[in-house]
Short mmCIF file of all heavy atoms in Angstrom, two decimals:
data_model
loop_
_atom_site.label_atom_id
_atom_site.label_comp_id
_atom_site.label_asym_id
_atom_site.label_seq_id
_atom_site.Cartn_x
_atom_site.Cartn_y
_atom_site.Cartn_z
N MET O 1 1.70 -20.24 3.60
CA MET O 1 2.45 -19.18 2.97
C MET O 1 1.70 -18.70 1.73
O MET O 1 1.31 -19.48 0.89
CB MET O 1 3.83 -19.71 2.58
CG MET O 1 4.68 -18.68 1.91
SD MET O 1 6.37 -19.27 1.76
CE MET O 1 6.48 -19.39 0.00
N SER O 2 1.52 -17.41 1.66
CA SER O 2 0.80 -16.82 0.53
C SER O 2 1.74 -16.62 -0.66
O SER O 2 2.88 -16.24 -0.52
CB SER O 2 0.22 -15.47 0.95
OG SER O 2 -0.38 -14.85 -0.15
N LEU O 3 1.23 -16.89 -1.84
CA LEU O 3 2.00 -16.67 -3.05
C LEU O 3 1.70 -15.31 -3.67
O LEU O 3 2.29 -14.93 -4.67
CB LEU O 3 1.70 -17.78 -4.07
CG LEU O 3 2.07 -19.18 -3.61
CD1 LEU O 3 1.65 -20.20 -4.68
CD2 LEU O 3 3.55 -19.29 -3.34
N ILE O 4 0.77 -14.59 -3.09
CA ILE O 4 0.36 -13.29 -3.61
C ILE O 4 1.23 -12.21 -2.96
O ILE O 4 1.42 -12.19 -1.75
CB ILE O 4 -1.13 -13.02 -3.30
CG1 ILE O 4 -1.99 -14.08 -3.98
CG2 ILE O 4 -1.52 -11.63 -3.75
CD1 ILE O 4 -3.44 -14.03 -3.58
N LYS O 5 1.73 -11.31 -3.79
CA LYS O 5 2.54 -10.21 -3.28
C LYS O 5 1.64 -9.20 -2.59
O LYS O 5 0.68 -8.71 -3.19
CB LYS O 5 3.31 -9.55 -4.43
CG LYS O 5 4.24 -8.47 -3.97
CD LYS O 5 5.07 -7.93 -5.12
CE LYS O 5 5.98 -6.83 -4.63
NZ LYS O 5 6.80 -6.29 -5.69
N ASN O 6 1.95 -8.89 -1.34
CA ASN O 6 1.12 -7.97 -0.57
C ASN O 6 1.82 -6.66 -0.25
O ASN O 6 1.18 -5.72 0.20
CB ASN O 6 0.66 -8.61 0.73
CG ASN O 6 -0.31 -9.74 0.49
OD1 ASN O 6 -1.13 -9.68 -0.40
ND2 ASN O 6 -0.20 -10.79 1.28
N TRP O 7 3.11 -6.59 -0.43
CA TRP O 7 3.87 -5.38 -0.12
C TRP O 7 4.50 -4.84 -1.39
O TRP O 7 5.05 -5.60 -2.19
CB TRP O 7 4.95 -5.68 0.92
CG TRP O 7 4.37 -6.00 2.26
CD1 TRP O 7 3.94 -7.22 2.69
CD2 TRP O 7 4.13 -5.10 3.33
NE1 TRP O 7 3.45 -7.12 3.98
CE2 TRP O 7 3.55 -5.83 4.40
CE3 TRP O 7 4.34 -3.73 3.51
CZ2 TRP O 7 3.19 -5.24 5.60
CZ3 TRP O 7 3.98 -3.15 4.72
CH2 TRP O 7 3.42 -3.90 5.74
N TYR O 8 4.39 -3.53 -1.58
CA TYR O 8 4.87 -2.89 -2.80
C TYR O 8 5.71 -1.67 -2.45
O TYR O 8 5.47 -1.02 -1.43
CB TYR O 8 3.68 -2.41 -3.65
CG TYR O 8 2.75 -3.52 -4.05
CD1 TYR O 8 1.63 -3.82 -3.29
CD2 TYR O 8 3.00 -4.29 -5.18
CE1 TYR O 8 0.78 -4.86 -3.66
CE2 TYR O 8 2.16 -5.32 -5.56
CZ TYR O 8 1.05 -5.60 -4.78
OH TYR O 8 0.22 -6.63 -5.14
N THR O 9 6.65 -1.34 -3.34
CA THR O 9 7.33 -0.06 -3.18
C THR O 9 6.29 1.04 -3.42
O THR O 9 5.21 0.78 -3.98
CB THR O 9 8.48 0.11 -4.19
OG1 THR O 9 7.94 0.16 -5.51
CG2 THR O 9 9.50 -1.02 -4.06
N VAL O 10 6.61 2.24 -3.04
CA VAL O 10 5.68 3.35 -3.24
C VAL O 10 5.36 3.51 -4.72
O VAL O 10 4.20 3.66 -5.11
CB VAL O 10 6.25 4.66 -2.64
CG1 VAL O 10 5.33 5.83 -2.93
CG2 VAL O 10 6.47 4.52 -1.14
N ASP O 11 6.37 3.44 -5.56
CA ASP O 11 6.16 3.58 -7.01
C ASP O 11 5.29 2.45 -7.56
O ASP O 11 4.39 2.69 -8.37
CB ASP O 11 7.49 3.62 -7.76
CG ASP O 11 8.28 4.89 -7.51
OD1 ASP O 11 7.66 5.92 -7.16
OD2 ASP O 11 9.50 4.87 -7.67
N GLU O 12 5.57 1.21 -7.14
CA GLU O 12 4.77 0.07 -7.59
C GLU O 12 3.31 0.22 -7.17
O GLU O 12 2.40 -0.02 -7.98
CB GLU O 12 5.30 -1.24 -7.00
CG GLU O 12 6.59 -1.73 -7.57
CD GLU O 12 7.13 -2.95 -6.83
OE1 GLU O 12 6.81 -3.16 -5.64
OE2 GLU O 12 7.88 -3.70 -7.47
N ALA O 13 3.09 0.62 -5.92
CA ALA O 13 1.72 0.77 -5.42
C ALA O 13 0.98 1.86 -6.16
O ALA O 13 -0.19 1.69 -6.53
CB ALA O 13 1.74 1.06 -3.92
N ALA O 14 1.63 2.98 -6.40
CA ALA O 14 1.00 4.09 -7.13
C ALA O 14 0.59 3.65 -8.52
O ALA O 14 -0.53 3.91 -8.97
CB ALA O 14 1.94 5.28 -7.19
N SER O 15 1.47 2.94 -9.20
CA SER O 15 1.19 2.46 -10.55
C SER O 15 0.10 1.40 -10.54
O SER O 15 -0.84 1.45 -11.34
CB SER O 15 2.47 1.91 -11.16
OG SER O 15 2.21 1.36 -12.42
N ARG O 16 0.20 0.43 -9.64
CA ARG O 16 -0.75 -0.68 -9.60
C ARG O 16 -2.17 -0.21 -9.30
O ARG O 16 -3.13 -0.70 -9.89
CB ARG O 16 -0.31 -1.69 -8.55
CG ARG O 16 -1.25 -2.87 -8.40
CD ARG O 16 -0.71 -3.89 -7.41
NE ARG O 16 -1.65 -4.94 -7.15
CZ ARG O 16 -1.77 -6.06 -7.86
NH1 ARG O 16 -0.98 -6.26 -8.89
NH2 ARG O 16 -2.66 -6.96 -7.53
N TYR O 17 -2.31 0.73 -8.37
CA TYR O 17 -3.65 1.15 -7.92
C TYR O 17 -4.10 2.48 -8.51
O TYR O 17 -5.20 2.94 -8.22
CB TYR O 17 -3.69 1.19 -6.39
CG TYR O 17 -3.47 -0.17 -5.78
CD1 TYR O 17 -2.27 -0.52 -5.20
CD2 TYR O 17 -4.48 -1.13 -5.82
CE1 TYR O 17 -2.07 -1.78 -4.65
CE2 TYR O 17 -4.30 -2.39 -5.28
CZ TYR O 17 -3.08 -2.70 -4.70
OH TYR O 17 -2.89 -3.96 -4.17
N GLY O 18 -3.27 3.12 -9.33
CA GLY O 18 -3.65 4.37 -9.97
C GLY O 18 -3.84 5.51 -8.99
O GLY O 18 -4.74 6.33 -9.14
N ILE O 19 -2.97 5.56 -8.00
CA ILE O 19 -3.04 6.57 -6.94
C ILE O 19 -1.74 7.36 -6.97
O ILE O 19 -0.68 6.81 -7.25
CB ILE O 19 -3.18 5.91 -5.56
CG1 ILE O 19 -4.39 4.98 -5.53
CG2 ILE O 19 -3.29 6.93 -4.45
CD1 ILE O 19 -4.40 4.08 -4.32
N SER O 20 -1.81 8.63 -6.65
CA SER O 20 -0.59 9.42 -6.63
C SER O 20 0.28 9.02 -5.43
O SER O 20 -0.23 8.54 -4.41
CB SER O 20 -0.91 10.92 -6.54
OG SER O 20 -1.40 11.25 -5.26
N ILE O 21 1.56 9.22 -5.59
CA ILE O 21 2.49 8.92 -4.50
C ILE O 21 2.16 9.78 -3.28
O ILE O 21 2.20 9.31 -2.16
CB ILE O 21 3.94 9.15 -4.97
CG1 ILE O 21 4.32 8.06 -5.99
CG2 ILE O 21 4.91 9.18 -3.81
CD1 ILE O 21 5.65 8.28 -6.67
N GLN O 22 1.77 11.02 -3.53
CA GLN O 22 1.42 11.92 -2.42
C GLN O 22 0.22 11.38 -1.63
O GLN O 22 0.19 11.46 -0.40
CB GLN O 22 1.13 13.34 -2.94
CG GLN O 22 2.32 14.05 -3.52
CD GLN O 22 2.67 13.59 -4.93
OE1 GLN O 22 1.88 12.95 -5.62
NE2 GLN O 22 3.89 13.90 -5.37
N GLN O 23 -0.77 10.85 -2.34
CA GLN O 23 -1.95 10.28 -1.68
C GLN O 23 -1.55 9.08 -0.83
O GLN O 23 -1.98 8.96 0.31
CB GLN O 23 -3.01 9.87 -2.70
CG GLN O 23 -4.27 9.28 -2.09
CD GLN O 23 -5.07 10.32 -1.34
OE1 GLN O 23 -5.39 11.37 -1.89
NE2 GLN O 23 -5.40 10.05 -0.10
N LEU O 24 -0.74 8.20 -1.39
CA LEU O 24 -0.29 7.03 -0.64
C LEU O 24 0.48 7.42 0.61
O LEU O 24 0.23 6.88 1.70
CB LEU O 24 0.59 6.14 -1.52
CG LEU O 24 -0.12 5.32 -2.58
CD1 LEU O 24 0.89 4.70 -3.53
CD2 LEU O 24 -0.99 4.26 -1.95
N LEU O 25 1.39 8.35 0.47
CA LEU O 25 2.18 8.79 1.62
C LEU O 25 1.30 9.49 2.66
O LEU O 25 1.55 9.38 3.87
CB LEU O 25 3.33 9.68 1.18
CG LEU O 25 4.39 8.98 0.32
CD1 LEU O 25 5.45 9.97 -0.15
CD2 LEU O 25 5.03 7.81 1.07
N GLY O 26 0.26 10.17 2.21
CA GLY O 26 -0.70 10.77 3.14
C GLY O 26 -1.43 9.70 3.94
O GLY O 26 -1.64 9.84 5.15
N TRP O 27 -1.83 8.62 3.27
CA TRP O 27 -2.50 7.52 3.96
C TRP O 27 -1.57 6.89 4.99
O TRP O 27 -2.00 6.55 6.08
CB TRP O 27 -2.99 6.47 2.97
CG TRP O 27 -4.16 6.90 2.14
CD1 TRP O 27 -4.92 8.03 2.30
CD2 TRP O 27 -4.71 6.22 1.02
NE1 TRP O 27 -5.90 8.09 1.35
CE2 TRP O 27 -5.80 6.98 0.55
CE3 TRP O 27 -4.38 5.06 0.37
CZ2 TRP O 27 -6.58 6.59 -0.53
CZ3 TRP O 27 -5.15 4.66 -0.72
CH2 TRP O 27 -6.24 5.43 -1.16
N VAL O 28 -0.30 6.74 4.61
CA VAL O 28 0.68 6.19 5.55
C VAL O 28 0.81 7.12 6.76
O VAL O 28 0.77 6.67 7.90
CB VAL O 28 2.05 5.99 4.86
CG1 VAL O 28 3.14 5.70 5.89
CG2 VAL O 28 1.97 4.88 3.83
N GLU O 29 0.96 8.40 6.50
CA GLU O 29 1.13 9.39 7.57
C GLU O 29 -0.07 9.40 8.52
O GLU O 29 0.09 9.58 9.73
CB GLU O 29 1.34 10.78 6.96
CG GLU O 29 1.67 11.84 7.98
CD GLU O 29 1.97 13.17 7.33
OE1 GLU O 29 2.68 13.18 6.30
OE2 GLU O 29 1.51 14.19 7.86
N ASN O 30 -1.25 9.19 7.97
CA ASN O 30 -2.47 9.20 8.79
C ASN O 30 -2.79 7.83 9.39
O ASN O 30 -3.83 7.67 10.02
CB ASN O 30 -3.66 9.69 7.97
CG ASN O 30 -3.55 11.17 7.67
OD1 ASN O 30 -3.22 11.96 8.54
ND2 ASN O 30 -3.79 11.55 6.43
N GLY O 31 -1.92 6.85 9.16
CA GLY O 31 -2.11 5.53 9.75
C GLY O 31 -3.18 4.70 9.08
O GLY O 31 -3.69 3.74 9.67
N LEU O 32 -3.54 5.02 7.84
CA LEU O 32 -4.60 4.30 7.14
C LEU O 32 -4.09 3.06 6.41
O LEU O 32 -4.87 2.16 6.12
CB LEU O 32 -5.30 5.24 6.15
CG LEU O 32 -5.95 6.46 6.79
CD1 LEU O 32 -6.48 7.40 5.72
CD2 LEU O 32 -7.06 6.04 7.74
N VAL O 33 -2.81 3.04 6.09
CA VAL O 33 -2.20 1.86 5.49
C VAL O 33 -0.87 1.59 6.20
O VAL O 33 -0.17 2.53 6.61
CB VAL O 33 -1.97 1.99 3.96
CG1 VAL O 33 -3.28 2.14 3.22
CG2 VAL O 33 -1.06 3.15 3.63
N ARG O 34 -0.55 0.32 6.33
CA ARG O 34 0.71 -0.06 6.98
C ARG O 34 1.87 0.12 6.01
O ARG O 34 1.71 -0.01 4.80
CB ARG O 34 0.67 -1.53 7.42
CG ARG O 34 -0.27 -1.76 8.58
CD ARG O 34 -0.40 -3.22 8.87
NE ARG O 34 -1.24 -3.81 7.81
CZ ARG O 34 -1.45 -5.10 7.65
NH1 ARG O 34 -0.86 -5.97 8.44
NH2 ARG O 34 -2.24 -5.54 6.69
N SER O 35 3.01 0.41 6.59
CA SER O 35 4.21 0.57 5.78
C SER O 35 5.42 0.07 6.55
O SER O 35 5.38 -0.07 7.77
CB SER O 35 4.41 2.04 5.40
OG SER O 35 4.69 2.81 6.54
N GLU O 36 6.48 -0.19 5.82
CA GLU O 36 7.77 -0.54 6.38
C GLU O 36 8.76 0.48 5.86
O GLU O 36 8.67 0.90 4.70
CB GLU O 36 8.20 -1.94 5.93
CG GLU O 36 7.31 -3.05 6.44
CD GLU O 36 7.47 -3.32 7.92
OE1 GLU O 36 8.56 -3.05 8.47
OE2 GLU O 36 6.50 -3.77 8.54
N GLY O 37 9.67 0.89 6.71
CA GLY O 37 10.63 1.88 6.27
C GLY O 37 11.89 1.86 7.08
O GLY O 37 12.09 1.01 7.95
N ASN O 38 12.74 2.83 6.79
CA ASN O 38 14.01 2.94 7.46
C ASN O 38 14.40 4.41 7.51
O ASN O 38 14.34 5.10 6.49
CB ASN O 38 15.06 2.12 6.71
CG ASN O 38 16.37 2.03 7.45
OD1 ASN O 38 16.45 2.28 8.64
ND2 ASN O 38 17.41 1.65 6.73
N LYS O 39 14.76 4.87 8.69
CA LYS O 39 15.22 6.26 8.88
C LYS O 39 14.19 7.27 8.38
O LYS O 39 14.52 8.24 7.72
CB LYS O 39 16.56 6.47 8.22
CG LYS O 39 17.66 5.61 8.81
CD LYS O 39 18.98 5.87 8.16
CE LYS O 39 20.02 4.93 8.76
NZ LYS O 39 21.32 5.06 8.12
N GLY O 40 12.91 7.00 8.63
CA GLY O 40 11.85 7.92 8.27
C GLY O 40 11.41 7.85 6.82
O GLY O 40 10.54 8.60 6.40
N LYS O 41 11.99 6.97 6.04
CA LYS O 41 11.63 6.84 4.63
C LYS O 41 10.76 5.61 4.43
O LYS O 41 11.08 4.52 4.89
CB LYS O 41 12.88 6.72 3.76
CG LYS O 41 12.58 6.63 2.29
CD LYS O 41 13.84 6.62 1.46
CE LYS O 41 13.45 6.54 -0.01
NZ LYS O 41 14.61 6.53 -0.88
N VAL O 42 9.63 5.77 3.75
CA VAL O 42 8.73 4.66 3.46
C VAL O 42 9.33 3.83 2.34
O VAL O 42 9.60 4.35 1.25
CB VAL O 42 7.32 5.16 3.06
CG1 VAL O 42 6.44 4.00 2.64
CG2 VAL O 42 6.70 5.94 4.20
N LEU O 43 9.55 2.55 2.60
CA LEU O 43 10.12 1.66 1.59
C LEU O 43 9.07 0.75 0.97
O LEU O 43 9.10 0.51 -0.23
CB LEU O 43 11.24 0.81 2.20
CG LEU O 43 12.42 1.58 2.79
CD1 LEU O 43 13.40 0.63 3.45
CD2 LEU O 43 13.11 2.41 1.71
N LEU O 44 8.16 0.24 1.80
CA LEU O 44 7.12 -0.67 1.32
C LEU O 44 5.78 -0.28 1.90
O LEU O 44 5.69 0.18 3.05
CB LEU O 44 7.45 -2.11 1.73
CG LEU O 44 8.72 -2.71 1.14
CD1 LEU O 44 9.00 -4.07 1.77
CD2 LEU O 44 8.61 -2.85 -0.37
N ILE O 45 4.72 -0.50 1.13
CA ILE O 45 3.35 -0.22 1.55
C ILE O 45 2.54 -1.49 1.38
O ILE O 45 2.68 -2.21 0.39
CB ILE O 45 2.74 0.93 0.73
CG1 ILE O 45 3.53 2.23 0.96
CG2 ILE O 45 1.27 1.14 1.10
CD1 ILE O 45 3.02 3.41 0.16
N ASN O 46 1.64 -1.75 2.33
CA ASN O 46 0.83 -2.96 2.30
C ASN O 46 -0.32 -2.83 1.31
O ASN O 46 -1.18 -1.97 1.44
CB ASN O 46 0.29 -3.25 3.71
CG ASN O 46 -0.43 -4.56 3.76
OD1 ASN O 46 -1.61 -4.63 3.45
ND2 ASN O 46 0.29 -5.59 4.15
N GLY O 47 -0.32 -3.71 0.30
CA GLY O 47 -1.35 -3.68 -0.74
C GLY O 47 -2.73 -4.04 -0.23
O GLY O 47 -3.73 -3.50 -0.71
N ASP O 48 -2.81 -4.93 0.76
CA ASP O 48 -4.12 -5.29 1.32
C ASP O 48 -4.80 -4.07 1.93
O ASP O 48 -6.01 -3.87 1.78
CB ASP O 48 -3.98 -6.38 2.37
CG ASP O 48 -3.54 -7.71 1.79
OD1 ASP O 48 -3.76 -7.94 0.58
OD2 ASP O 48 -2.99 -8.52 2.55
N ASP O 49 -4.01 -3.24 2.62
CA ASP O 49 -4.57 -2.03 3.24
C ASP O 49 -5.05 -1.04 2.17
O ASP O 49 -6.09 -0.40 2.33
CB ASP O 49 -3.53 -1.36 4.13
CG ASP O 49 -3.20 -2.16 5.38
OD1 ASP O 49 -3.91 -3.16 5.66
OD2 ASP O 49 -2.24 -1.79 6.07
N ILE O 50 -4.30 -0.93 1.09
CA ILE O 50 -4.72 -0.04 -0.01
C ILE O 50 -6.03 -0.53 -0.60
O ILE O 50 -6.95 0.26 -0.83
CB ILE O 50 -3.63 0.04 -1.10
CG1 ILE O 50 -2.36 0.66 -0.54
CG2 ILE O 50 -4.14 0.84 -2.30
CD1 ILE O 50 -1.16 0.55 -1.45
N GLU O 51 -6.12 -1.83 -0.83
CA GLU O 51 -7.35 -2.40 -1.38
C GLU O 51 -8.54 -2.17 -0.46
O GLU O 51 -9.64 -1.86 -0.92
CB GLU O 51 -7.16 -3.88 -1.68
CG GLU O 51 -6.23 -4.10 -2.84
CD GLU O 51 -5.98 -5.56 -3.16
OE1 GLU O 51 -6.67 -6.43 -2.60
OE2 GLU O 51 -5.07 -5.83 -3.97
N LEU O 52 -8.33 -2.30 0.85
CA LEU O 52 -9.41 -2.02 1.80
C LEU O 52 -9.82 -0.56 1.72
O LEU O 52 -11.01 -0.24 1.73
CB LEU O 52 -8.98 -2.36 3.22
CG LEU O 52 -8.93 -3.83 3.57
CD1 LEU O 52 -8.29 -4.03 4.95
CD2 LEU O 52 -10.32 -4.45 3.54
N LYS O 53 -8.85 0.32 1.63
CA LYS O 53 -9.13 1.75 1.55
C LYS O 53 -9.91 2.08 0.28
O LYS O 53 -10.80 2.91 0.28
CB LYS O 53 -7.81 2.53 1.59
CG LYS O 53 -7.95 4.01 1.53
CD LYS O 53 -8.52 4.58 2.80
CE LYS O 53 -8.54 6.09 2.70
NZ LYS O 53 -9.67 6.66 3.41
N LEU O 54 -9.60 1.39 -0.81
CA LEU O 54 -10.26 1.62 -2.09
C LEU O 54 -11.49 0.75 -2.29
O LEU O 54 -12.13 0.81 -3.34
CB LEU O 54 -9.28 1.37 -3.24
CG LEU O 54 -8.07 2.30 -3.32
CD1 LEU O 54 -7.09 1.82 -4.39
CD2 LEU O 54 -8.50 3.72 -3.58
N ASN O 55 -11.79 -0.07 -1.30
CA ASN O 55 -12.92 -1.01 -1.38
C ASN O 55 -12.79 -1.94 -2.58
O ASN O 55 -13.76 -2.18 -3.30
CB ASN O 55 -14.26 -0.28 -1.42
CG ASN O 55 -14.54 0.45 -0.14
OD1 ASN O 55 -14.36 -0.10 0.93
ND2 ASN O 55 -14.94 1.70 -0.25
N LEU O 56 -11.58 -2.47 -2.79
CA LEU O 56 -11.34 -3.37 -3.91
C LEU O 56 -11.35 -4.84 -3.51
O LEU O 56 -11.10 -5.69 -4.35
CB LEU O 56 -9.97 -3.05 -4.55
CG LEU O 56 -9.83 -1.70 -5.21
CD1 LEU O 56 -8.41 -1.52 -5.75
CD2 LEU O 56 -10.84 -1.55 -6.34
N THR O 57 -11.64 -5.13 -2.26
CA THR O 57 -11.64 -6.52 -1.83
C THR O 57 -12.82 -7.24 -2.46
O THR O 57 -13.93 -6.70 -2.54
CB THR O 57 -11.70 -6.64 -0.31
OG1 THR O 57 -12.80 -5.88 0.18
CG2 THR O 57 -10.41 -6.13 0.33
N PRO O 58 -12.60 -8.44 -2.94
CA PRO O 58 -13.69 -9.19 -3.58
C PRO O 58 -14.77 -9.59 -2.58
O PRO O 58 -14.47 -9.86 -1.42
CB PRO O 58 -12.99 -10.43 -4.14
CG PRO O 58 -11.72 -10.55 -3.39
CD PRO O 58 -11.36 -9.17 -2.92
N SER O 59 -16.00 -9.60 -3.03
CA SER O 59 -17.11 -10.04 -2.19
C SER O 59 -17.10 -11.54 -2.10
O SER O 59 -16.82 -12.23 -3.08
CB SER O 59 -18.43 -9.56 -2.78
OG SER O 59 -18.47 -8.17 -2.85
N VAL O 60 -17.46 -12.07 -0.94
CA VAL O 60 -17.52 -13.51 -0.75
C VAL O 60 -18.93 -13.98 -0.81
O VAL O 60 -19.84 -13.37 -0.42
CB VAL O 60 -16.87 -13.91 0.60
CG1 VAL O 60 -16.97 -15.40 0.81
CG2 VAL O 60 -15.44 -13.45 0.63
#
């Protein structure tokens, strides 16, 4: 079990990664980041996918 938070609300993700909400929702719409939602509304966005998109993953 991971202790690191990987899913964020849209507002949390925008603030954490310095990305506009519109950009994040565009990535979701284009299938570039995973999301969870209800009735067509995005509730959570996967932080790992955002980091991959931004190339923020640490080098091993």
Side-chain angles (χ1 to χ4, degrees):
M1 180 169 114
S2 175
L3 298 177
I4 299 171
K5 184 175 179 180
N6 292 324
W7 292 85
Y8 301 94
T9 65
V10 176
D11 290 336
E12 287 174 335
S15 176
R16 178 176 174 88
Y17 296 104
I19 304 167
S20 71
I21 290 172
Q22 293 79 16
Q23 181 69 52
L24 285 170
L25 294 176
W27 288 351
V28 168
E29 186 176 317
N30 289 316
L32 300 174
V33 297
R34 290 174 285 172
S35 67
E36 295 288 332
N38 188 17
K39 297 182 182 176
K41 182 176 180 180
V42 175
L43 300 176
L44 297 173
I45 297 178
N46 186 275
D48 293 337
D49 291 350
I50 296 169
E51 290 178 10
L52 285 172
K53 180 72 176 147
L54 296 172
N55 294 314
L56 295 178
T57 53
S59 300
V60 178

